[in-house]
């Protein structure tokens, strides 16, 4: 009986210690966010390695978006691999790992005024891109007319046509991977899929816009201009016309770059 009570007490102390530790981590992170002198990002994934990779990728995007927004020298842009001064805070969040990464703004934008200590917001601003190419919008669906009265109905989801089916990737597992990514709400969810496929050697590499060596050959994850980097769509490889895998229509990167959107590229393994 005494042994059982002792075990219960030890368990309670362990839980109390974990709560205190998480509370301390949260306070430390909040202090960094309020300081205004840091760029930061965080991610929660199954493993520490996955969470760190996702957070660092988002951090690189945030820094580059900040540089674009402030019209700072473009040569100061970074990639996830050039962030050599990243500091990290990690802790458990349920059964997953939470990783918070941050860097001193002065280390990456030293030409900014030291007096500018406005807290950095983790948001996405437009990415600099080539001049947009004019594109022709698809005609809108005509209203439905009945013989008794004129009734305008909202467009409804149409069955997949043969032309839309032909836009699917010829490799089945690749198309299934795209379908899984399209079900994710934001960048963090997509990176979770990419990380897993990279471990399985199904994805060769992925990264920020700055690090892409061949824009035409890559798939592009298009992201919304919000703090969560909400997923808009995924575009396939191409020069001018690319398949939009959400709408199953032809689309272009020029319809998104420089228009309040951000993006991450990836390549499937052959």
């Amino acid at each position: 009986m005494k042994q059982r009570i002792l075990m219960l007490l030890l368990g309670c102390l362990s839980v109390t210690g974990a709560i205190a530790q998480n509370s301390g981590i949260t306070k430390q992170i909040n202090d960094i966010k309020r300081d205004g002198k840091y760029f930061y990002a965080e991610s929660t994934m199954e493993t520490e390695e996955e969470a760190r990779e996702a957070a660092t990728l988002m951090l690189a995007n945030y820094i580059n978006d900040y540089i674009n927004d402030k019209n700072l020298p473009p040569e100061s842009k970074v990639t996830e691999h050039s962030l050599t001064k990243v500091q990290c805070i990690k802790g458990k969040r349920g059964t997953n790992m939470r990783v918070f990464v941050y860097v001193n703004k002065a280390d990456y934008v030293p030409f900014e005024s030291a007096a500018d200590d406005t807290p950095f917001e983790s948001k996405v601003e437009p990415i600099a891109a080539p001049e947009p190419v004019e594109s022709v919008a698809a005609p809108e669906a005509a209203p439905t007319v009945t013989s008794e009265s004129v009734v305008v109905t909202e467009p409804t989801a149409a069955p997949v046509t043969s032309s839309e089916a032909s836009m699917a990737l010829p490799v089945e597992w690749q198309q299934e991977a795209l379908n899984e990514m399209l079900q994710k709400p934001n960048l963090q969810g997509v990176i979770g899929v990419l990380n897993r496929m990279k471990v399985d050697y199904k994805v060769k590499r992925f990264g920020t816009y700055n690090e892409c060596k061949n824009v035409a050959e890559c798939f592009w994850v298009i992201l919304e201009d919000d703090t969560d980097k909400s997923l808009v769509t995924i575009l396939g490889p191409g020069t001018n016309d690319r398949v939009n895998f959400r709408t199953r229509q032809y689309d272009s990167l020029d319809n998104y770059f420089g228009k309040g959107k951000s993006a991450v590229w990836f390549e499937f393994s052959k």
Side-chain angles (χ1 to χ4, degrees), residues 8-52:
L8 288 172
L9 287 172
L10 288 173
C12 289
L13 287 172
S14 176
V15 171
T16 303
I19 292 173
Q21 183 183 22
N22 285 336
S23 177
I25 289 173
T26 300
K27 182 182 184 305
Q28 188 179 358
I29 289 174
N30 288 337
D31 287 344
I32 292 169
K33 288 180 177 180
R34 285 192 292 263
D35 190 287
K37 296 179 181 177
Y38 301 96
F39 293 113
Y40 57 83
E42 69 175 282
S43 176
T44 301
M45 296 279 184
E46 288 186 3
T47 69
E48 180 184 337
E49 183 181 358
E50 289 176 342
R52 187 190 296 270

Side-chain angles (χ1 to χ4, degrees), residues 160 162-172 174-176 178-179 243 245 248:
V160 177
S162 58
S163 61
E164 290 175 337
S166 67
M167 290 183 175
L169 294 178
V171 182
E172 187 176 353
Q174 292 182 353
Q175 184 60 54
E176 289 175 354
L178 289 182
N179 293 342
V243 175
F245 287 99
R248 294 299 179 96

